Amino acid sequence: MVLDGIMENANEKSASLSFVSSYQTCWSTNQSTGTCDLDNLNLRRQSSNPKETWLEAEIVVEGKSVAVNRSILSERSQFFRRLFNLRNDGKARYLLTDLVPHGKVGYEAFKDTLHFLYTGMIKESPPEVSTCVDDACAHFACPPAINYGIELMYASAAFQMKELVVLSEFRLLYMAGKAPVEDVIPILVAAVHCQLNMLHSYCIQRIAGSNLDNLCLEKELPDEVSREIKSLRVKSNQESEANIAEVDPMHAKIVRSIQKALDSDDVELLKLLLDVSNVTLDDAYALHYAAAYCSPKVFKAVLNMDLAGLNLKDARGRTVLHVAARRNEPEVMVTLLSKGACASETTSDGQTAVAICRRMTRRKDYIEASKQGQETNKDRLCIDVLEREMRRNSMSENLAMSSEGMDDDFQRKLDFLEEKVAFVRFFPSEARVAMEIAGADTATGLSALGQKGLSGNLKEIDLNETPSMQAKRRQLRLLTLLKIGIYILY
């Protein structure tokens, strides 16, 4: 009810906001859609006096140059007035990263901010950057929607656009009430940077009453904010189960030492701490920690110790793969899957790792096509890896393995599969993923992908092999090819 009231208030404010400008005749607006053509606006404004080149400026956003009109922006924003007054010597060029002190503002968010400066109206958020690729999501408060709202907030605050700051704050307030608590953290960080007291207070209360552990707060929030939340928890006696475990001082000290060893990439110190204490990797949720905060190299080292449960759930009901899914790091996921992590395992609220990945990924990043020989977008690759692993598991379960079943027709099917697999050499990212999940040697495997005979002749007979050994060899080679092939065929 409180959030509904906030949004009604925001809508009233939105309806009442508009600019009164002396440049009405210069606007080029599509009357049927109510949208404004910013490029035509700039050109028509400047065409009235072509000699006034000082009216032109450009701002570079994500490598793209956006033309702006100095006169209009100076009238509507004190920030731009001061900025443009510093340079009157011809056409000025600025980098957006130099103008916005906090956060990252993308091309689409900057264009929408300009639209508000020119027209006094808010455009509907572009779906390609404000919606995720989870078909079950309503997109009210998924991470891409939140991130886009934060981008607008950072831009409007940096450009001192009070009206847009107010509206952005109300939008983020609504999202903070609807989103999973871990997605409230970036909203709180934005509130701190932009000095938004109402948003700051609401996010603090939401996180303090949640089951987010203190470690997460320490790693992802400014120190003073983390301390404020901890203080509230102590006062309200709302400590989560993970934090109650810290009542044992010695256990807490050893766990913290393990985490510090991981932070410093010191695997040898980690082994020593495990040897001299009765705390295990599972007790410290060390693999969860490494998946969230350590480099892939350190994560692999910890995983290869074979001392941690791959599908162990932490106090919030997440496996290591679920934690890795939020990070969107393909190398970490591939390492886990190759060790036998279960891709179909769900969190306490029923989310699989692939559902988490899809909820974290913008449509723009997912549909972005990769060119032959170039690296694939990490977000897309993470989703593909998890989806194909689940399909592979399903196919493997239904695959009946027997030497008698490997007839000529079956061999022809394997030859076809082998030819398809060979195409992976054109895509290095997918090649590495496929070979690592298949458990094959990457260096030799990539060269073998372009050659015939990867699968070998499964009907070969070695006189030194027993029937059981022969069946096992055939099964292993077939599964290896299937593991690689599933990443190419689907």
Side-chain angles (χ1 to χ4, degrees):
M1 294 297 292
V2 174
L3 287 173
D4 291 339
I6 287 175
M7 292 309 297
E8 288 179 5
N9 196 3
N11 290 335
E12 291 175 3
K13 288 179 177 290
S14 177
S16 64
L17 287 174
S18 63
F19 286 120
V20 177
S21 173
S22 59
Y23 295 105
Q24 295 283 346
T25 58
C26 304
W27 295 5
S28 174
T29 304
N30 186 324
Q31 299 297 328
S32 62
T33 62
T35 60
C36 177
D37 186 334
L38 301 185
D39 292 332
N40 285 343
L41 187 152
N42 283 319
L43 292 173
R44 291 180 61 185
R45 173 67 186 93
Q46 294 166 29
S47 65
S48 61
N49 191 346
K51 296 181 180 180
E52 293 182 342
T53 57
W54 58 271
L55 286 174
E56 297 180 0
E58 63 181 38
I59 298 176
V60 180
V61 190
E62 296 182 335
K64 301 176 183 178
S65 181
V66 180
V68 298
N69 185 287
R70 290 196 199 188
S71 180
I72 296 177
L73 296 191
S74 295
E75 180 186 3
R76 310 265 170 83
S77 166
Q78 292 183 359
F79 171 86
F80 283 112
R81 184 179 304 130
R82 290 193 297 269
L83 178 70
F84 295 145
N85 282 341
L86 294 176
R87 293 177 62 178
N88 289 320
D89 52 342
K91 188 173 183 178
R93 190 172 188 268
Y94 307 89
L95 296 178
L96 185 64
T97 51
D98 294 336
L99 306 181
V100 180
H102 301 292
K104 174 184 177 297
V105 178
Y107 177 78
E108 292 82 3
F110 177 66
K111 291 282 282 188
D112 281 1
T113 304
L114 278 185
H115 183 274
F116 186 84
L117 277 169
Y118 285 134
T119 68
M121 296 184 295
I122 295 180
K123 290 180 64 177
E124 185 177 350
S125 299
E128 67 272 14
V129 292
S130 63
T131 61
C132 67
V133 294
D134 183 358
D135 294 334
C137 180
H139 308 304
F140 292 135
C142 57
I146 290 174
N147 291 337
Y148 189 75
I150 290 174
E151 288 182 28
L152 287 178
M153 174 60 75
Y154 278 132
S156 56
F159 301 154
Q160 300 175 14
M161 302 163 60
K162 293 181 180 179
E163 297 91 347
L164 190 54
V165 167
V166 170
L167 294 175
S168 296
E169 182 176 15
F170 277 117
R171 171 189 278 187
L172 290 175
L173 270 168
Y174 179 79
M175 291 180 176
K178 300 293 185 181
V181 66
E182 56 265 31
D183 295 328
V184 177
I185 288 180
I187 299 178
L188 176 55
V189 172
V192 172
H193 287 155
C194 299
Q195 301 180 0
L196 306 171
N197 295 332
M198 181 168 59
L199 184 60
H200 177 279
S201 177
Y202 181 82
C203 291
I204 287 285
Q205 294 293 334
R206 172 87 200 277
I207 294 174
S210 74
N211 62 350
L212 275 182
D213 56 83
N214 285 341
L215 174 63
C216 177
L217 305 182
E218 294 168 3
K219 296 291 291 186
E220 301 185 26
L221 288 171
D223 291 342
E224 64 277 11
V225 179
S226 175
R227 287 194 296 269
E228 182 180 357
I229 295 175
K230 291 179 186 177
S231 177
L232 280 176
R233 284 179 166 179
V234 171
K235 291 178 181 178
S236 61
N237 196 28
Q238 291 182 347
E239 289 281 2
S240 67
E241 293 180 7
N243 295 325
I244 291 174
E246 294 182 3
V247 172
D248 181 354
M250 183 56 66
H251 181 278
K253 183 177 181 180
I254 296 172
V255 169
R256 190 66 188 122
S257 297
I258 289 174
Q259 293 164 352
K260 288 182 178 179
L262 291 171
D263 287 336
S264 58
D265 298 349
D266 195 338
V267 179
E268 293 304 317
L269 176 58
L270 171 64
K271 293 178 181 177
L272 179 62
L273 289 169
L274 294 174
D275 288 339
V276 300
S277 72
N278 60 355
V279 177
T280 67
L281 288 179
D282 286 348
D283 292 336
Y285 295 113
L287 205 53
H288 290 75
Y289 185 91
Y293 304 115
C294 297
S295 68
K297 180 181 178 180
V298 171
F299 176 80
K300 285 183 179 180
V302 179
L303 184 64
N304 289 334
M305 292 169 66
D306 293 325
L307 297 175
L310 290 179
N311 298 310
L312 173 72
K313 292 190 176 182
D314 62 12
R316 299 185 58 219
R318 303 174 304 166
T319 67
V320 182
L321 191 61
H322 295 141
V323 175
R326 286 192 61 83
R327 182 175 175 178
N328 270 1
E329 178 54 61
E331 192 172 350
V332 172
M333 289 186 183
V334 168
T335 306
L336 273 170
L337 293 172
S338 65
K339 282 283 189 176
C342 180
S344 59
E345 190 68 60
T346 60
T347 61
S348 54
D349 60 351
Q351 295 287 307
T352 61
V354 69
I356 294 172
C357 266
R358 293 184 73 87
R359 192 65 62 94
M360 299 287 295
T361 302
R362 303 187 305 176
R363 290 191 177 277
K364 178 180 179 180
D365 297 329
Y366 184 77
I367 64 177
E368 184 179 75
S370 60
K371 296 181 180 179
Q372 180 174 307
Q374 294 184 356
E375 294 292 317
T376 302
N377 176 278
K378 281 188 175 183
D379 304 89
R380 174 66 180 263
L381 189 54
C382 285
I383 294 173
D384 287 349
V385 164
L386 290 168
E387 287 183 341
R388 291 165 180 174
E389 176 68 11
M390 294 181 74
R391 282 198 295 268
R392 184 189 66 80
N393 289 340
S394 177
M395 290 180 66
S396 297
E397 290 173 1
N398 297 326
L399 184 63
M401 295 290 189
S402 66
S403 57
E404 292 80 9
M406 295 182 181
D407 54 13
D408 292 338
D409 181 62
F410 189 77
Q411 185 65 45
R412 284 195 295 271
K413 291 179 181 178
L414 284 177
D415 290 340
F416 171 77
L417 180 60
E418 185 179 57
E419 291 176 0
K420 289 293 185 182
V421 168
F423 284 109
V424 77
R425 69 185 187 275
F426 294 118
F427 301 92
S429 295
E430 287 83 348
R432 285 195 298 272
V433 169
M435 295 303 297
E436 288 187 34
I437 289 182
D441 179 78
T442 305
T444 58
L446 289 178
S447 61
L449 286 174
Q451 303 171 5
K452 291 288 292 180
L454 175 64
S455 65
N457 186 349
L458 297 182
K459 301 183 74 175
E460 285 179 351
I461 296 177
D462 185 341
L463 296 178
N464 294 321
E465 282 184 329
T466 65
S468 61
M469 292 171 60
Q470 187 180 108
K472 185 175 181 180
R473 174 179 63 84
R474 290 170 172 173
Q475 186 180 42
L476 179 61
R477 297 179 78 169
L478 178 59
L479 283 175
T480 299
L481 183 58
L482 179 62
K483 282 182 178 181
I484 300 173
I486 199 71
Y487 285 85
I488 312 304
L489 293 176
Y490 299 94

